[in-house]
Amino acid sequence: MTIMRDKPGFNWLPVAAGALVLAGGLGYWWTSHSPESEDRPAAAAAASQPASPVSEYEALMNKPVSAPASDLPEVPPTPEQVAEAQKVATEQVQVAQKLERPEVWKPLTGGIKDKPEYVSPMEWQMLKGVAERHPDPQAELLRLTNFLRYNKLLEKWQDLPKGSDPALRQALAEQLSSELPARVANGEVDAKDALQQGTTMLRDAYPTDAKARKKAEQSLAAQIQKAAQPQ
Amino acid sequence: MKNAQNRLTVLAASVAALAMSMSMSATAATQGPADNSFYDAPAAMPSGNPGTLVSYRSTKVNLGANTTAHSAWNVTYKSTDAVDVENIVSGTVIVPSAAWSGTGPRPVVVYAVGTHGLGNQCAPSRQMAAGTDYEANNINAALAKGYAVLVSDYEGYLNGGLPTYLAGRSQAHAVLDMVRAAQQLNGAGITTASKVGVWGFSQGGQTSAWAAEVQKSYAPELNIVGFAAGGIPADFIKAAYFLDGSFGAAFLASGVSGLKTQYPDQLPVDLIASDSGLAALEKLQGQCVFEALLDLQNKSLSAFTKNNFGLDQILKVGGVKQTMLDQNLGTTTPAAPMYLFHGQADEFIDISQTTTLKNTYCASNKQVKFDLYPSEHIVTMTQGAGPALAWMADRFNGVAAQGNCSVTTVPASTSATTKGGDLIVNLDKWKLDAKIHLKTLNQDVILPDTSTLSVVSNISKNSMTGSMNVPDFKSRVSIIGINAQVGIRVTPVDKVTGQTSLDAAGQLTITGTAKTDITVTTVWGVPFGECKTVTPVIFPLSYKGSVGDLGAGKVTFTGTADFPQIKGCFISGIISAMMSTKGNPFTFTIAPPAPKSTY
């Protein structure tokens, strides 16, 4: 995995805001120009009569796992879907701000009962829904939640404008690099990619002290190598 | 008057069949030994007419995974060579275990094999027992239809024997007499009433076409309803020039051996060949086909002759030219409807051989159909199974055969490797049937039916390069936990690269990689930006199996792919958490494009 640095200063928050506008615009255009969507009745029903989340998830989970995944026709989103997208985009913006506080950067341990503040309601439903299918739902929920947090921090670090906020850059890089062995052990990141990514992170974590950086690189490489061994 | 004539004809045929049957039963067939001595030639020629069953034994054949349940016997039987001298030929009778569910008695397919090599160990009956026959897919395809399958080894595969390879009449007699012999085999359920179809490719195509030409005179009592023949060497001199110095040079050298064995006085090989040529011939006579092909690739006959005589000079020696002309097809009207087929990129037998033969046959028999296949020789051999068996099923069911004689075009050969070059197999726009499993989400992404893989494999140089083509599509993935479906796009990037090799046992090995970007395009149908893998997903391609699997659509790459981080949209964090993981299983299966009846 390589670090994307081709868009300095890129941040998904403005994109999310743009998406809101885009979603609204598209929704208006489609609803006023397009035939009825085949997905519309279900979505409309879901919107008019809020289903019990439990029954909704059960229904989804009882669907065939290998559901036919074929070419989708160009089906426009329904107004309800557009509204849902707008809501999600707003929530994503809100929870992203929670990650400004380094106190929440650390991996969670033990069991998770409540939604962490940096996880949106939509994300939380997804995490719980997917974890439920796992033989060890609690452990899977913990792993997925930590991986979600890691991915959000990773993007945050990757999207920092060049030269801006060295302290934040350093703190994020330290946190992310310290998690790489766990990510490898969990099968979330390939060891080779982790080594490559870790080297880049450590440049930010040790911007001036080359000797310390070298030592950290060696230590990280050893940890990643160990994490990559079959258990 | 006409009815009376028909009745007389039927009566005469019945009397002939009865006489043949009585004559053939003059010598009781014996149960042969279980060991290799089954293939020992008898001390004296048994009495009886051609087709007399001499010996038999129960055997087991291994046609690979999903072999249809069956009973099988090895047999030896009397036949005659190309100059009507009696001989003993070995073969295999295979009958599905399941009862025949169609009308009438169980039909019989005589599968005329292609080149197996001159060594005794290469005989189809021995290769099938060992599970190494490269035509196993075709034989199994006929069995799967419920047909009894007869596979003659042709003349020359008894212990110490030498095949009369490419002597057309000898091969035709061997397959026709095998039907007679199988009718005498207790327990096989093959009778004189059984409808028979003959099908073969390459040497087997030549055999099938020869059988079509001689059946009326040699075995008129047989109830043969159709002949399917593909990749036919119909004009020997043209075939010889095409093969000389090419990757398929071993076929030409084997032909020299086979015709010399059949016509020793006409082909004075000992006079023409150099010492090294004679040594090469002796070595070839102990080899199987793929070993021989690799050994003699791109060799010219002139490298093995005294004074480096080439084909031009050799054809002027003694009866060489006439002997070769005598093997040409197209001199007699086929005895029954014919299905002919050929690969447009055939690197061993130029496509004009079969198309010219088709036009010749069409002059006297309009029930000739020709299909143009897109690929090279071996691919076409196995790809032909489906259409040939479907055509044969119509003949067994009494459907009137429709020809396409009005199409007289001779399509140009394409992308075939000729003289002195590498063996290049061009898989042009092969259908790609692909499924990618998203491990964490436990759902499949299936690529559109119109996805293709185009690959140029240089087998001589052990290299492969090509591309995947996946039309723009969106696959629907239900996200568990929320009431949403996500649109996913798979976009090939870079070239498909790798290695392809063929070993002396006909095993094809492919290793390589294909790369794609995975993009999440929509949620709830709402586009929200390019949420894409930050680096391409690499699919490792690995396959090892019979070269015969290629045309049968049995080449499947299975493995796992690691999905990297996904970025570029406002829900990329959760998308990454759900999709970015190691070990997502995938299955890619490739199959050649369909043949064409108009061209």
Side-chain angles (χ1 to χ4, degrees):
Chain A
M1 198 181 296
T2 57
I3 306 301
M4 296 280 285
R5 287 193 179 277
D6 55 337
K7 289 180 183 172
F10 179 86
N11 190 307
W12 55 259
L13 286 177
V15 174
L20 283 170
V21 175
L22 175 68
L26 282 169
Y28 172 77
W29 187 88
W30 267 316
T31 47
S32 58
H33 289 80
S34 303
E36 285 293 305
S37 154
E38 63 179 29
D39 292 342
R40 196 164 299 179
S48 62
Q49 185 186 351
S52 142
V54 175
S55 64
E56 203 171 299
Y57 306 148
E58 276 175 355
L60 278 165
M61 283 188 285
N62 288 333
K63 283 175 81 170
V65 168
S66 294
S70 54
D71 292 10
L72 277 177
E74 284 298 326
V75 178
T78 63
E80 293 80 11
Q81 288 170 331
V82 172
E84 187 68 22
Q86 287 172 323
K87 182 168 160 265
V88 166
T90 306
E91 289 167 353
Q92 293 299 114
V93 172
Q94 288 165 352
V95 296
Q97 288 163 353
K98 306 292 182 187
L99 279 171
E100 299 299 324
R101 295 191 304 113
E103 301 85 72
V104 298
W105 292 359
K106 294 288 177 197
L108 298 169
T109 54
I112 305 178
K113 285 183 183 167
D114 302 318
K115 179 181 81 63
E117 58 185 308
Y118 51 81
V119 176
S120 75
M122 178 274 287
E123 290 169 339
W124 186 235
Q125 302 298 1
M126 282 177 75
L127 295 171
K128 287 199 299 182
V130 172
E132 273 302 316
R133 300 186 69 100
H134 195 271
D136 187 348
Q138 276 302 311
E140 181 67 353
L141 182 62
L142 180 67
R143 181 189 76 77
L144 287 170
T145 307
N146 276 327
F147 192 35
L148 170 62
R149 176 195 45 78
Y150 174 84
N151 278 304
K152 290 187 172 193
L153 291 178
L154 180 63
E155 284 194 31
K156 191 177 175 68
W157 170 69
Q158 288 169 335
D159 296 341
L160 281 174
K162 261 185 181 170
S164 72
D165 206 341
L168 177 61
R169 180 182 295 278
Q170 184 173 11
L172 280 168
E174 279 174 5
Q175 178 59 41
L176 288 165
S177 61
S178 72
E179 286 192 49
L180 278 172
R183 304 277 78 84
V184 171
N186 289 346
E188 294 152 354
V189 180
D190 177 68
K192 195 177 150 198
D193 291 340
L195 277 172
Q196 198 178 347
Q197 206 170 47
T199 304
T200 313
M201 289 169 178
L202 290 176
R203 275 204 291 269
D204 279 357
Y206 299 90
T208 53
D209 189 345
K211 197 174 171 185
R213 184 169 68 232
K214 186 75 181 169
K215 196 176 169 189
E217 278 174 4
Q218 287 168 344
S219 170
L220 182 61
Q223 289 178 66
I224 287 172
Q225 200 171 15
K226 191 178 173 192
Q229 303 296 322
Q231 296 299 308
Chain B
M1 188 63 188
K2 203 167 186 176
N3 281 344
Q5 275 178 344
N6 286 345
R7 279 197 295 274
L8 277 175
T9 308
V10 169
L11 181 64
S14 302
V15 169
L18 183 64
M20 180 67 75
S21 164
M22 288 173 69
S23 168
M24 285 190 293
S25 60
T27 303
T30 58
Q31 183 159 352
D35 63 13
N36 185 48
S37 63
F38 180 83
Y39 291 96
D40 287 345
M45 183 61 69
S47 62
N49 281 338
T52 298
L53 181 66
V54 175
S55 68
Y56 62 90
R57 68 177 181 187
S58 265
T59 190
K60 287 189 165 68
V61 297
N62 177 1
L63 303 173
N66 305 317
T67 302
T68 303
H70 61 270
S71 299
W73 297 264
N74 289 138
V75 295
T76 63
Y77 57 97
K78 288 192 70 178
S79 187
T80 58
D81 69 6
V83 293
D84 295 326
V85 173
E86 290 184 321
N87 59 22
I88 305 285
V89 178
S90 52
T92 308
V93 176
I94 316 169
V95 180
S97 303
W100 170 246
S101 57
T103 54
R106 184 194 299 277
V108 176
V109 167
V110 183
Y111 187 73
V113 296
T115 309
H116 272 57
L118 302 177
N120 293 165
Q121 76 280 13
C122 319
S125 60
R126 305 185 204 224
Q127 295 275 322
M128 283 192 285
T132 54
D133 197 293
Y134 73 97
E135 295 190 84
N137 282 319
N138 281 6
I139 294 162
N140 196 41
L143 281 177
K145 297 282 181 191
Y147 307 145
V149 183
L150 313 184
V151 185
S152 173
D153 291 342
Y154 305 138
E155 181 186 14
Y157 286 97
L158 296 185
N159 290 333
L162 205 49
T164 51
Y165 176 69
L166 291 183
R169 280 190 181 82
S170 172
Q171 293 166 184
H173 294 171
V175 296
L176 294 170
D177 284 326
M178 180 137 189
V179 182
R180 291 165 163 165
Q183 291 168 356
Q184 301 154 56
L185 184 65
N186 285 334
I190 297 167
T191 71
T192 53
S194 304
K195 289 180 178 176
V196 178
V198 183
W199 164 35
F201 187 82
S202 194
Q203 180 197 10
Q206 179 213 13
T207 302
S208 180
W210 263 104
E213 293 199 15
V214 305
Q215 190 232 322
K216 274 182 188 165
S217 58
Y218 188 82
E221 82 283 7
L222 296 182
N223 189 13
I224 298 183
V225 296
F227 296 88
I232 310 165
D235 181 325
F236 263 39
I237 292 177
K238 275 189 181 171
Y241 276 107
F242 194 80
L243 289 169
D244 192 24
S246 79
F247 187 85
F251 294 127
L252 177 57
S254 298
V256 170
S257 173
L259 295 182
K260 172 189 177 280
T261 303
Q262 178 65 78
Y263 308 97
D265 298 333
Q266 303 299 312
L267 269 75
V269 172
D270 295 347
L271 295 177
I272 301 169
S274 63
D275 288 347
S276 66
L278 290 172
L281 201 59
E282 192 179 344
K283 185 181 178 191
L284 176 69
Q285 287 168 347
Q287 291 178 319
C288 293
V289 59
F290 294 105
E291 186 183 5
L293 279 171
L294 295 171
D295 220 22
L296 293 179
Q297 58 181 303
N298 300 326
K299 295 281 197 312
S300 294
L301 275 185
S302 59
F304 301 109
T305 56
K306 290 172 182 167
N307 301 320
N308 298 115
F309 272 18
L311 257 178
D312 289 345
Q313 289 102 328
I314 293 169
L315 285 170
K316 290 174 185 162
V317 176
V320 173
K321 184 175 181 182
Q322 189 55 50
T323 301
M324 293 183 76
L325 290 172
D326 287 346
Q327 310 312 312
N328 286 355
L329 286 156
T331 57
T332 311
T333 301
M338 292 203 77
Y339 176 68
L340 303 177
F341 58 108
H342 207 112
Q344 194 162 12
D346 195 319
E347 72 278 33
F348 297 137
I349 311 291
D350 187 72
I351 189 170
S352 65
Q353 295 257 336
T354 299
T355 48
T356 303
L357 182 66
K358 176 230 175 180
N359 291 338
T360 304
Y361 283 157
C362 278
S364 58
N365 184 344
K366 298 296 177 199
Q367 291 181 309
V368 176
K369 186 185 179 199
F370 173 80
D371 274 351
L372 175 66
Y373 283 62
S375 301
E376 60 81 57
H377 194 76
I378 299 173
V379 168
T380 305
M381 176 193 79
T382 35
Q383 193 188 359
L389 285 169
W391 181 88
M392 203 69 85
D394 281 347
R395 305 293 77 74
F396 290 145
N397 292 328
V399 177
Q402 301 294 318
N404 61 349
C405 287
S406 59
V407 183
T408 56
T409 320
V410 177
S413 58
T414 58
S415 52
T417 307
T418 53
K419 308 289 176 196
D422 296 338
L423 175 59
I424 294 173
V425 177
N426 185 4
L427 314 184
D428 187 22
K429 297 186 185 73
W430 279 40
K431 185 179 183 317
L432 173 64
D433 185 5
K435 183 169 79 175
I436 303 164
H437 186 71
L438 306 177
K439 197 169 85 172
T440 307
L441 290 169
N442 199 15
Q443 297 209 29
D444 294 336
V445 173
I446 298 170
L447 299 196
D449 289 347
T450 47
S451 302
T452 59
L453 178 74
S454 293
V455 162
V456 176
S457 280
N458 185 326
I459 290 174
S460 302
K461 294 236 170 23
N462 195 17
S463 68
M464 175 178 84
T465 183
S467 60
M468 279 171 71
N469 179 26
V470 180
D472 192 15
F473 81 113
K474 289 176 201 162
S475 186
R476 178 184 285 124
V477 172
S478 292
I479 299 293
I480 302 158
I482 61 167
N483 186 19
Q485 290 188 327
V486 168
I488 286 182
R489 181 185 298 147
V490 178
T491 314
V493 290
D494 296 338
K495 285 183 175 176
V496 174
T497 55
Q499 294 84 44
T500 316
S501 63
L502 183 67
D503 70 14
Q507 292 291 297
L508 183 72
T509 303
I510 303 171
T511 54
T513 54
K515 296 176 187 172
T516 72
D517 284 334
I518 309 278
T519 309
V520 177
T521 55
T522 56
V523 176
W524 296 284
V526 179
F528 52 86
E530 284 258 310
C531 208
K532 197 170 78 174
T533 44
V534 295
T535 55
V537 179
I538 297 171
F539 295 91
L541 308 178
S542 177
Y543 177 80
K544 182 160 188 165
S546 168
V547 68
D549 290 351
L550 258 180
K554 285 188 173 179
V555 172
T556 296
F557 303 105
T558 56
T560 59
D562 302 342
F563 282 22
Q565 181 193 6
I566 294 173
K567 258 192 97 179
C569 62
F570 67 89
I571 56 167
S572 51
I574 188 70
I575 296 289
S576 277
M578 294 294 159
M579 290 176 60
S580 304
T581 184
K582 289 179 67 183
N584 296 283
F586 69 90
T587 305
F588 291 175
T589 300
I590 54 171
K596 295 184 282 188
S597 295
T598 54
Y599 43 91

